Amino acid sequence: MTIRYVASSRLPTPWAVFTMHGFAEEQTGKEHVVLTLGAVGDGEPVLGRIHSECLTGDALFSLRCDCGFQLEAALQAIAEEGRGALLYVRQEGRGIGLLNKIRAYNLQDQGADTVEANERLGFAADMRDYSICIPMLEHLNIKSLRLMTNNPRKVKAMQGFGINIAERVPLQVGRNVHNAHYLATKAGKLGHMFEVPLQHHQD
């Protein structure tokens, strides 16, 4: 897949003034961004996150997932570090799209977990393609990451594409009564790694 760099600009946020880099998939027209802070192309491992778009969690404050909490925590961690990169990739609903995610939510309201809901709609549990991240990292000359994630599949995928994962940095935030089952499914069916036992979530 061809990913084309488009433009960069300043992006002031509550945590820091980032540089925002825009990229486009030529085949699909999908647009992605990378937020960077400090010098990231010097060969040293970069504190980073690959964050899949979640309109409901990132912008609409949904408590059904931990996505918005992870986005804010990652940006704050990069700001505190003074250096890092966040890739914001447009793969809503683990790759099934926004409207299909709403359909999946409806099935979850009827008792399905997130994996079962995706599969009932005819999708795999996780449809995301992390290969789209590689041209963006190459453009920024990032070869090594201290990756903020709980997802071992993400670590393995990036290593398979030749990115050195110097460290996996846990990102366990935003647990609440509404997403307890969602997080348990992540751990039980998708192998996500949680350092704090899930049953101790705070309501």
Side-chain angles (χ1 to χ4, degrees), residues 46-50 74 78 84-87 145-149:
V46 174
L47 180 64
R49 172 156 176 80
I50 298 168
I78 291 170
L86 184 138
L87 285 72
L145 288 170
R146 293 168 49 226
L147 187 61
M148 291 183 278
T149 185

Side-chain angles (χ1 to χ4, degrees), residues 78-121:
I78 291 170
E80 290 173 354
E81 183 98 353
R83 176 176 177 272
L86 184 138
L87 285 72
Y88 195 89
V89 292
R90 309 292 295 280
Q91 300 193 105
E92 181 83 41
R94 297 189 189 136
I96 68 174
L98 177 60
L99 298 184
N100 281 323
K101 184 167 80 168
I102 296 172
R103 293 186 179 101
Y105 277 172
N106 179 261
L107 292 174
Q108 291 166 41
D109 290 342
Q110 299 172 46
D113 64 36
T114 54
V115 170
E116 293 166 346
N118 276 21
E119 291 174 344
R120 288 184 194 176
L121 292 172

Side-chain angles (χ1 to χ4, degrees), residues 13-16 18 35 37 47-51 57-58 66-86 88 146-150 169-175:
T13 75
W15 303 279
F18 291 87
L35 302 185
L37 183 66
L47 180 64
R49 172 156 176 80
I50 298 168
H51 189 89
D58 298 341
D66 55 348
C67 303
F69 299 101
Q70 288 186 318
L71 176 62
E72 292 194 14
L75 291 173
Q76 181 175 346
I78 291 170
E80 290 173 354
E81 183 98 353
R83 176 176 177 272
L86 184 138
Y88 195 89
R146 293 168 49 226
L147 187 61
M148 291 183 278
T149 185
N150 306 317
V169 180
L171 193 62
Q172 191 169 339
V173 292
R175 291 177 298 156

